[in-house]
Amino acid sequence: MIRSARAGLSARRADWRRRLARARRPARFGTLRRVTPLSDHWGRDRGEPVDRHYIEGFLLSHRAAIRGRVLELQDATYTQRYGVGVTRSDVLDVDRANPRATIIADLTAADGVPAGTFDCIILTQTLHLIYDVRAAIAQCHRMLRPGGVLLCTVPVTARISRHELDRECWRFTEVSCRRLFGEAFGEDLVEITSYGNVLTSIAFLAGVASRELRRAELDARDPYFPVIVAVQAEKGPLPVRV
């Protein structure tokens, strides 16, 4: 009886603590209290999507690496926007119908592209669509010249595209990126950065545009709630033959 009474008292105290926590920090859902997003296009119809805010900020901060001969997938938008001293811009796509593509190849099996071709590869929001992630990263490493840089972003918190339900394979973390890219490039040549926080993750899932958030809200970084992870990986020098 005494044990049962104590258990009941403990449960009531726990319930009161939860009620007090809710009272101190009430959850006011407002327009987010819905089971469908505000935008079905990641917020693009409302402004700049939250993930693009982070992706473009990452590329801007590493624009010095976007130089020489640069490879990008599907189109050369970011090469043209952020490149400095680009001598040649190439676009890789598996789709032969893409008029912007200069190289037709599967990124996981691009052996037809000579090794050491590029000074920079831009690979944004693509690896989650590729099942053999290790092969894709290995090909990027192979295609880079010594000293060349891969600039890659991957989703952590993101909806599944309505057009990619049968293609999206993965979501990533800092730990998985450190291991995957470290295996190919060497851990000391890989820099990992996460962007986002709980608010921006919720906003991105709901389709809220970046302009609807304050700058301080966008800039806050919480490693427990990233929207994306960004990777800068540099190809080291070729081994010296003895």
Side-chain angles (χ1 to χ4, degrees):
M1 291 290 291
I2 294 175
R3 183 177 298 174
S4 177
R6 286 177 176 172
L9 179 61
S10 178
R12 287 194 295 273
R13 285 175 176 170
D15 181 56
W16 276 107
R17 281 195 295 270
R18 288 190 288 267
R19 291 189 185 190
L20 183 59
R22 292 196 296 270
R24 286 175 174 170
R25 294 175 134 181
R28 297 188 178 95
F29 289 98
T31 55
L32 294 182
R33 194 172 202 118
R34 50 190 295 137
V35 296
T36 57
L38 294 170
S39 165
D40 206 31
H41 306 282
W42 297 275
R44 188 173 289 114
D45 50 335
R46 301 167 66 91
E48 176 191 55
V50 171
D51 69 333
R52 289 292 148 183
H53 171 82
Y54 292 132
I55 292 163
E56 293 173 12
F58 166 71
L59 293 176
L60 179 62
S61 68
H62 292 84
R63 68 182 310 174
I66 306 173
R67 56 176 177 76
R69 188 170 179 181
V70 180
L71 178 68
E72 192 169 350
L73 269 66
Q74 292 193 320
D75 61 55
T77 298
Y78 288 145
T79 304
Q80 295 166 0
R81 186 178 303 174
Y82 299 112
V84 289
V86 175
T87 58
R88 176 169 170 175
S89 172
D90 281 291
V91 173
L92 183 147
D93 199 339
V94 72
D95 184 3
R96 293 182 178 276
N98 182 355
R100 297 178 293 271
T102 60
I103 300 171
I104 302 299
D106 183 331
L107 185 59
T108 65
D111 295 326
V113 180
T117 297
F118 302 103
D119 296 289
C120 179
I121 297 175
I122 299 174
L123 185 65
T124 57
Q125 307 304 88
T126 301
L127 286 183
H128 65 295
L129 298 170
I130 298 174
Y131 184 75
D132 194 351
V133 175
R134 281 189 170 89
I137 296 172
Q139 285 286 351
C140 287
H141 179 269
R142 187 189 65 80
M143 290 189 290
L144 282 171
R145 293 171 180 157
V149 174
L150 170 65
L151 298 175
C152 177
T153 66
V154 292
V156 181
T157 302
R159 61 162 296 169
I160 296 177
S161 169
R162 294 196 184 278
H163 305 294
E164 307 289 356
L165 188 60
D166 60 345
R167 288 189 59 210
E168 293 203 17
C169 301
W170 311 109
R171 294 295 181 266
F172 297 85
T173 64
E174 283 194 38
V175 172
S176 62
C177 287
R178 189 171 292 109
R179 294 188 62 176
L180 284 166
F181 288 88
E183 289 170 1
F185 287 82
E187 290 187 10
D188 58 331
L189 296 174
V190 174
E191 179 184 303
I192 308 290
T193 309
S194 64
Y195 295 85
N197 54 71
V198 66
L199 175 62
T200 58
S201 292
I202 292 170
F204 184 46
L205 288 173
V208 174
S210 62
R211 68 178 59 181
E212 298 176 88
L213 298 168
R214 299 185 182 94
R215 184 72 195 207
E217 294 169 338
L218 287 164
D219 289 347
R221 296 187 190 180
D222 186 338
Y224 295 99
F225 296 96
V227 174
I228 69 163
V229 168
V231 180
Q232 175 187 294
E234 180 180 340
K235 183 171 182 177
L238 294 175
V240 177
R241 293 183 179 179
V242 179

